[in-house]
Amino acid sequence: MIKKILIKVNPGMSDQTYEKVTTYRRNAFTVLFVVLGILTIISNSLVKHYFIGIDLTFLATLSNFFFAIALGFKLSILYDLSHPERLHKHKVIESDERTQFIRQRADALSLNFLLLLAITAALYGYSNSDQGWFFLIIPLILLLALRASLRWLLNQLL
Amino acid sequence: MKTRIQELRKARQMTQADLAEALAVTRQTIISLEKGKYNASLFLAYDIAHFFGLSIEEVFIFENGETDDKKNTHQS
């Protein structure tokens, strides 16, 4: 299953094969995010029942966020399957060696930023007893969401 | 590294988009190759040369400076 998800899109791959690969991959991510959303709801209800007695806004928002991502993946599959020319364009972009090179650089850069933010969050969290450090995780999530923008930017610059 | 991609493409009256479609790469890759901003891998270089019916050396031209630099790097 992992092999199927991580399969590399090589130049020369047919559109039909790419369609199968990308559908499988996105279905797997949909399931993953639905499971994450359910787990977040369960953890929120457990915390509410046993510890605090109130809803944790962050966890409630996070579960909605996971469900929205899952829905986005499912809708993107349906949209791409009804637009084969878009799927072909995606295949070309994904198998393009220069794009792959740029993606690798963007990923490496994102990882550096993530590490820096994670270290800052951890240090701040340890040195302060309040719960404010919790919100430093938000930039980490934002950075992950902005990765696509970073790829686009590098694509223009390089 | 200099390339003759632009010259060969224009001789065949093809657009960058046409060539990109034929080689299954993005148009931006063709632009970068033509401008010399990106060096193609051996696989892509072979594909391009094969498409134009020429050898790799006829499409991609190494400049003396580049090979000298590489020799110096290997020696040091």
Side-chain angles (χ1 to χ4, degrees), chain B residues 27-43:
Chain B
R27 196 172 66 88
Q28 282 151 318
T29 300
I30 300 294
I31 295 168
S32 297
L33 284 167
E34 286 186 354
K35 285 184 180 173
K37 282 167 75 181
Y38 175 70
N39 291 333
S41 70
L42 190 59
F43 292 108

Side-chain angles (χ1 to χ4, degrees), chain B residues 61-74:
Chain B
I61 303 139
F62 276 100
E63 288 171 324
N64 284 331
E66 283 181 343
T67 47
D68 287 347
D69 284 346
K70 279 174 188 168
K71 277 176 193 168
N72 291 338
T73 315
H74 287 303

Side-chain angles (χ1 to χ4, degrees), chain A residues 55-74:
Chain A
D55 267 324
L56 288 179
T57 318
F58 179 77
L59 282 179
T61 313
L62 196 62
S63 63
N64 288 337
F65 178 71
F66 286 141
F67 285 130
I69 292 175
L71 185 67
F73 269 117
K74 200 65 203 169

Side-chain angles (χ1 to χ4, degrees), chain A residues 7-69:
Chain A
I7 195 166
K8 196 182 168 195
V9 180
N10 289 317
M13 183 184 264
S14 72
D15 283 3
Q16 285 78 17
T17 314
Y18 179 72
E19 186 186 305
K20 279 179 191 167
V21 167
T22 194
T23 307
Y24 186 87
R25 196 184 283 171
R26 284 189 229 179
N27 274 331
F29 279 118
T30 307
V31 171
L32 177 76
F33 279 106
V34 166
V35 169
L36 279 174
I38 291 167
L39 286 176
T40 317
I41 287 176
I42 292 168
S43 57
N44 190 18
S45 60
L46 286 175
V47 169
K48 184 185 172 184
H49 188 264
Y50 291 106
F51 300 105
I52 304 172
I54 52 161
D55 267 324
L56 288 179
T57 318
F58 179 77
L59 282 179
T61 313
L62 196 62
S63 63
N64 288 337
F65 178 71
F66 286 141
F67 285 130
I69 292 175

